């Protein structure tokens, strides 16, 4: 699974995003060390603080199915690039401090970062 394919999986998840309040749809695809891909979308709520981002949806799906080791995460919004928010960075850091993060407005313009660059000194108990 290369970066482009993982990004395509994130993009393909976009139609399932539930974003009636922001109209900002986000898809994510999380690649496990053993090659499985878990996708996620943002799911908003009338009580705005209840909203969950696409990246956390993907991570929670994976962990709840017994997968905790991750290699890479791709994030796709509709026409612009989206970087994981601060809460998602910390959430992902819990399981994958060495995660590769892939974003970009389309698959021809991917930007690749390490989670350690996006979240230096993440918190750990
Ligand atoms: N959102 C994500 O799902 N992931 C990101 O990387 C940035 C923000 C969602 C949360 C909310 O539903 C909408 O985008 C606008 O903030």
């Amino acid at each position: 699974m290369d970066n482009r394919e993982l990004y395509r999986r994130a993009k393909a998840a976009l139609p399932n995003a539930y974003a009636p309040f922001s109209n900002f749809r986000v898809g994510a695809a999380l690649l496990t060390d053993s090659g499985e891909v878990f996708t996620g979308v943002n799911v908003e709520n009338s009580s705005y603080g209840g909203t969950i981002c696409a990246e956390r949806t993907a991570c929670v799906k994976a962990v709840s199915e017994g997968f905790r080791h991750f290699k890479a995460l791709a994030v796709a919004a509709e026409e612009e690039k989206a970087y994981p928010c601060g809460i998602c960075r910390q959430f992902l850091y819990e399981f994958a401090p060495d995660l590769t993060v892939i974003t970009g407005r389309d698959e021809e313009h991917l930007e690749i970062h390490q989670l350690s660059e996006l979240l230096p000194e993440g918190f750990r108990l």
Side-chain angles (χ1 to χ4, degrees), residues 19-97:
F21 306 107
S22 71
N23 280 317
F24 189 76
R25 277 169 279 280
V26 186
L30 185 60
L31 177 66
T32 70
D33 277 1
S34 42
E36 294 82 4
V37 175
F38 289 86
T39 60
V41 295
N42 53 333
V43 182
E44 297 186 344
N45 194 271
S46 297
S47 177
Y48 298 166
T51 293
I52 180 167
C53 295
E55 297 90 327
R56 274 177 290 146
T57 302
C59 188
V60 165
K61 282 173 67 180
V63 173
S64 60
E65 295 298 324
F67 295 87
R68 295 183 185 170
H69 300 289
F70 308 121
K71 258 191 208 159
L73 169 87
V75 187
E78 276 171 313
E79 277 153 20
E80 51 203 301
K81 67 184 171 200
Y83 277 92
C85 78
I87 297 169
C88 288
R89 293 176 196 198
Q90 174 62 34
F91 198 91
L92 292 160
Y93 179 83
E94 181 75 22
F95 300 101

